[in-house]
Structure formats: C-alpha cells, structure tokens
Amino acid sequence: MVRIKKLILDTADFHPLHKMWVNLAESLSKEYGVELEVKKEDYLFAISYGDKDDIGMAWLPQLFAELEDGRILLVMSQYPFDPSTTKPSEELALNEAKKKLEEIQK
C-alpha cells in the first residue's frame, strides 16, 4: 500500500475558484492527516506533473499528492461543475478527489 506524504495545491490567487480549491485541499489534508503545501503560480511544477493543453502549457489550479516514495501524482486538474446548476460543486469536487486519493493508495 502506498502512503500519501502530503498534498500539493498549485494555484493562482486571481483564479475565480481559487478559494474553493484551497478549501478542498485543506479539507482533504485534514481528513487524510497529511501536510498541505500551497504553491503560487509554479507553472514549471504544473508542467512537470500536471495536465497540459495541446501545446504543452499547464493551467492552474491543480492538486497533487506526493507519495512517501517521492513520486508526485495528479489528483485533480479541473474543478467539477454540477450539471443541473452549471455551478462549481464542492460536493462533487470532494468526492472526485477522495476517489482519486483512494485509487492512489491501493
């Protein structure tokens, strides 16, 4: 079983959902009992470990997990929207991130 050492949120203050990403990362950090590192506009980090567009540029925010063995894996790169309201959904985001973290720890 792989253990998560810490969560890493690479974000940008100007992003409209910045606070929602921070709340998500803080909630997950508390629930899983791991450290949270918040990076501000570290595009090199996001390009190295995260999702990129078709010309190789990363976007922010993105959430990552650093494992005890040093690997860094992407947890989430797009905040989910509720299809019925077309608004960002904290519940869907939390469920999606938890599902990914559980997959990582298997």
Side-chain angles (χ1 to χ4, degrees):
M1 183 170 132
V2 180
R3 292 191 36 90
I4 296 169
K5 179 180 173 183
K6 69 178 170 180
L7 295 175
I8 303 167
L9 176 63
D10 194 355
T11 187
D13 290 335
F14 62 82
H15 191 278
L17 300 180
H18 167 72
K19 288 184 181 183
M20 293 181 92
W21 278 93
V22 170
N23 290 341
L24 171 65
E26 288 175 345
S27 295
L28 292 167
S29 172
K30 287 177 188 167
E31 184 168 335
Y32 285 85
V34 296
E35 174 189 352
L36 172 61
E37 178 183 347
V38 178
K39 294 180 175 286
K40 296 290 178 117
E41 299 183 54
D42 190 341
Y43 287 94
L44 291 177
F45 184 85
I47 288 169
S48 297
Y49 301 106
D51 279 342
K52 299 172 274 301
D53 63 18
D54 54 348
I55 60 170
M57 294 300 297
W59 58 85
L60 298 178
Q62 294 194 50
L63 181 63
F64 305 89
E66 182 178 334
L67 308 181
E68 285 184 333
D69 63 8
R71 289 182 294 152
I72 297 174
L73 301 176
L74 179 65
V75 175
M76 194 162 68
S77 67
Q78 296 191 18
Y79 206 91
F81 284 69
D82 184 332
S84 64
T85 63
T86 66
K87 294 184 181 194
S89 170
E90 292 178 353
E91 180 182 350
L92 289 174
L94 189 60
N95 290 338
E96 183 179 316
K98 286 166 94 172
K99 181 179 176 188
K100 180 66 176 186
L101 290 171
E102 295 303 319
E103 288 173 11
I104 288 170
Q105 292 186 100
K106 283 186 179 178

